Amino acid sequence: MSKQSKTIEEKMNELREMTAWFESEEFSLTEAADKFKQANALAKDIEKDLGELRNTVNELKQSFET
Amino acid sequence: MENLRLQVSEFIALTNQTLEYAYPSVEIEGEVSSFKVNQNKYVFFDLKDDEASVGCFMTVWQLRTPIEDGMKIIVTATPKLTNWGKFSLTVRALRPSGEGSLKKSFELLKAKLEKEGLFSPERKRLLPSLPKHIGVISSTQAAGYADFIKIVNDRFGGMTIDVAHVQVQGAAAADQIIKAIRYFNMLEQMPEVLVLVRGGGSADDLATFNDEQLVREIAASRIPVLTGIGHEVDVSLADMAADVRAATPSNAAQLLVPDRRELVADVRHRMHGVIPAIERRIADYHDDVVGQLDSALGAIDTRIDDVHNELTMTSRVLGEYNPQKVLARGYALVRGDVKPGANIDIERANDVITAEVKHVKAK
């Protein structure tokens, strides 16, 4: 993950909020360009994370025999 | 042995030792008859075939599959001579044998657990949308497990997957799976979801997943459980008690995590939607400004019309005060000193008359 501080889910939620802003009542033309740049950067970050993330598979040492 | 003289109890003990040595554990297949449960603790039945019959004893706790008279079963038991000289089998475990008995046992347990509400939809919990910690219970040598892990790794990443290796068929399987479920549920950092996977197999192989205690353990799990057992057509009681049932191990992987390619497509779709949104907002602004200008011009036109109307009205009123109009209606304007003997001018609409005043009288 390129940014450990946020999970993919958090980033996806952030992107959803950012893109929803463009359809919301809070939309302002003066802020639109900056918001678009931020959303675009976040989208690229998510794509990068999705491409790089790998799973860690641990086989437990415990025996479950009875 | 010929000269061996024993007390009865010694003989019975010796016989049991001999039996235990000869048959420490024996599997016997037969049909159940005279099934009964005493004091809700002890189970008695006869196991018979066409030519013979033997009494069986076990505890209710050991009876993990419902049985009834006429069902064909396989018992795992130790032969024993009781203190009353009766020969019986002490049963440690049993399982239905043959398709008919498996189905009958399945239906009996299903009805029992359904009545208790173990399968009710209200109990079902949602799976986490993007889990970070998963607990998997399966045999790591099984093809179903390999399919599951391969598809999960292909679809999504960044997760910790803890795998409990257990038997997924055979007499010990249910207890091992139960132990693994308990293990995960007792962890301080519990996984967000438990996945129980096993590939396809015969009805007998999959009978593990119809074990009453296992089904109850799944229903009682604090962690949501996803099952992917057998093939599409194989529906076990474990599946019915789970929060989510997948048709196969591969399908379990698909239900568990989203496909990263779909997420990327979603992200791109969202971003592609932003430009038209901005364009729409700009068009809205433009329409708003044009609308306001139209409104202002309309207000100016209205004001001009109002002033014009007011002017026309005033002009009309003023016209009524014009003396020529009064004379035209027949009135006359008198000028001069109004006293007897003096001349006065009387102006009418079309002429002026000069006249002498003869007499003046107050009204």
Side-chain angles (χ1 to χ4, degrees), chain A residues 6-8 14-15 18 28 34 37 39 59:
Chain A
K6 286 180 186 166
T7 64
I8 282 277
E14 200 176 327
L15 184 67
M18 288 175 99
S28 121
D34 279 347
K37 280 180 197 164
E59 194 175 325

Side-chain angles (χ1 to χ4, degrees), chain B residues 196-218:
Chain B
L196 179 55
V197 283
R198 191 225 188 272
S202 67
D204 200 34
D205 290 342
L206 298 175
T208 293
F209 299 95
N210 294 323
D211 177 274
E212 181 172 351
Q213 286 181 30
L214 173 58
V215 176
R216 290 187 184 282
E217 199 67 34
I218 289 170

Side-chain angles (χ1 to χ4, degrees), chain A residues 21-47:
Chain A
W21 179 86
F22 289 93
E23 303 277 2
S24 73
E25 293 295 316
E26 283 95 54
F27 177 88
S28 121
L29 207 50
T30 48
E31 290 176 53
D34 279 347
K35 291 268 188 187
F36 180 77
K37 280 180 197 164
Q38 286 170 24
N40 206 30
L42 183 59
K44 284 184 177 161
D45 194 28
I46 292 170
E47 280 197 37

Side-chain angles (χ1 to χ4, degrees), chain A residues 9 23 47 50 55-56 58, chain B residues 129 153 161 163 260 280:
Chain A
E9 192 167 23
E23 303 277 2
E47 280 197 37
L50 287 169
N55 293 320
T56 307
N58 309 312
Chain B
S129 59
N153 284 337
I161 303 172
V163 183
R260 61 179 98 211
R280 275 198 305 278

Side-chain angles (χ1 to χ4, degrees), chain A residues 62-66, chain B residues 165-167 172 175-176 179:
Chain A
Q62 281 86 344
S63 166
F64 296 98
E65 283 177 18
T66 49
Chain B
H165 170 63
V166 294
Q167 286 182 29
D175 282 334
Q176 289 190 16
K179 211 170 165 186

Side-chain angles (χ1 to χ4, degrees), chain B residues 56-130:
Chain B
C56 295
F57 164 79
M58 70 191 301
T59 62
V60 164
W61 182 81
Q62 289 169 313
L63 183 65
R64 296 165 63 161
T65 304
I67 57 170
E68 62 180 23
D69 287 355
M71 278 176 65
K72 203 172 175 188
I73 62 168
I74 298 169
V75 299
T76 305
T78 307
K80 194 179 176 186
L81 189 63
T82 68
N83 286 343
W84 298 273
K86 191 185 172 195
F87 180 80
S88 76
L89 295 172
T90 302
V91 178
R92 290 197 302 279
L94 62 79
R95 61 183 192 277
S97 170
E99 200 178 324
S101 290
L102 278 169
K103 198 172 174 193
K104 182 71 187 171
S105 172
F106 176 90
E107 293 300 337
L108 285 171
L109 186 55
K110 182 183 164 193
K112 178 182 171 185
L113 298 179
E114 203 158 39
K115 202 173 171 187
E116 290 181 32
L118 260 71
F119 308 142
S120 71
E122 301 82 51
R123 299 184 74 261
K124 309 290 182 196
R125 294 162 291 186
L126 292 174
L127 300 181
S129 59
L130 291 173

